[in-house]
Amino acid sequence: MTADKEIVLSVRNLTKAYSAAGERIAVLRGVNLEIAAGERVALTGESGSGKSTLLHLVAGLDRADGGEIDVAGASVSQLNEAALAAMRRDRLGLVFQQFNLIPSLSVRDNLAFQSRIAGRHDAAWQNELAERLGLAAFLDRYPEQLSGGQQQRVAIGRALAVKPALLLADEPTGNLDEATADDVLSLTRDLVAQTGCGLLMVTHSTRLAATLDRHIHLSAGLIA
Ligand code: ADP
Ligand code: MG
């Protein structure tokens, strides 16, 4: 960790349990994690180890039982729902395995969706993203007219258009074939570096994890 870089994600002693069939199951048992601006971190762990839970808590989509989460200076546990929504809109980019594009909007309008809502639309930056993501020729198409890899590139462009402090990606290449996954990931790596945001990416692939700056592993509710 470089000392002079802004910390865009700080997680301290994070705990979360779920109730299932009358039993409490501890999923996160005291997770600690820091990500600096520009740092790209891969998160692996067995299925059910709590990777998505961790991302949901960071995004404020679910509440932790204990611990602290700071996203670019915002203390997630102390925000009310409206402030959490604003935090997600203004500081976070979210990318999931399902591309979650809006079917009735063109590629251009999907790309602009979050940045327009956040009041931070920057046409020059969006054009550059479209160019870099190989989407410039497809701006008037609709999501159903794109391949899976192209759809995921739109989702990544939409997330980065807002110039987030932190990009959270939950198995973003899980629905793509290996060559397309490599392609999408290397573009994401480069664009994150250019944007200067932090990246926390869940992946099943230790091969892909090894291509990021740091690889962390979630096991028995802790990051080793
Ligand atoms: P991963 O993403 O690593 O596969 P998850 O974070 O999705 O794992 O889930 C971790 C554990 O928490 C699993 O045992 C899962 O069944 C449980 N879990 C996740 N979300 C809920 C929920 N909303 N209610 C009850 N249990 C849940
Ligand atoms: Mg998951």
Side-chain angles (χ1 to χ4, degrees):
M1 179 89 32
T2 38
D4 55 345
K5 285 253 177 158
E6 184 201 351
I7 300 298
V8 292
L9 175 64
S10 165
V11 172
R12 288 179 303 279
N13 204 22
L14 192 70
T15 56
K16 178 73 179 175
Y18 287 113
S19 295
E23 237 187 292
R24 293 289 281 171
I25 299 171
V27 177
L28 304 178
R29 299 168 182 262
V31 165
N32 292 293
L33 173 63
E34 270 193 0
I35 298 182
E39 193 182 20
R40 299 158 300 184
V41 178
L43 172 62
T44 57
E46 302 268 295
S47 181
S49 60
K51 305 179 298 297
S52 295
T53 299
L54 175 59
L55 263 60
H56 287 160
L57 294 177
V58 169
L61 296 166
D62 196 1
R63 295 280 185 184
D65 296 334
E68 299 292 329
I69 301 169
D70 261 72
V71 175
S75 179
V76 171
S77 52
Q78 283 163 32
L79 301 179
N80 63 24
E81 291 304 317
L84 282 176
M87 188 272 295
R88 272 194 297 277
R89 184 189 66 208
D90 299 338
R91 299 178 202 231
L92 285 186
L94 297 172
V95 178
F96 299 97
Q97 187 169 347
Q98 296 75 22
F99 315 126
N100 295 321
L101 301 179
I102 297 167
S104 61
L105 294 183
S106 66
V107 167
R108 179 184 286 103
D109 290 339
N110 267 286
L111 283 171
F113 189 77
Q114 183 179 356
S115 59
R116 284 230 165 85
I117 290 175
R120 290 165 67 165
H121 182 66
D122 174 341
W125 172 232
Q126 180 170 318
N127 286 340
E128 184 175 349
L129 281 170
E131 199 65 54
R132 295 281 306 278
L133 289 162
L135 295 169
F138 305 120
L139 292 173
D140 292 316
R141 289 206 196 174
Y142 288 83
E144 66 178 11
Q145 300 171 308
L146 300 180
S147 70
Q150 290 166 338
Q151 289 187 53
Q152 193 59 305
R153 287 191 233 162
V154 177
I156 289 161
R158 174 179 59 186
L160 290 175
V162 74
K163 293 188 184 144
L166 178 66
L167 180 64
L168 297 174
D170 198 347
E171 301 189 40
T173 60
N175 276 336
L176 306 176
D177 63 72
E178 192 170 296
T180 308
D182 283 6
D183 212 42
V184 164
L185 182 58
S186 76
L187 276 168
T188 306
R189 250 188 351 246
D190 294 350
L191 286 170
V192 162
Q194 189 180 344
T195 310
C197 63
L199 169 66
L200 179 58
M201 185 186 82
V202 174
T203 178
H204 275 306
S205 165
T206 48
R207 186 180 64 82
L208 292 184
T211 68
L212 298 192
D213 301 320
R214 189 149 59 98
H215 175 189
I216 57 177
H217 188 75
L218 187 57
S219 173
L222 295 170
I223 287 172

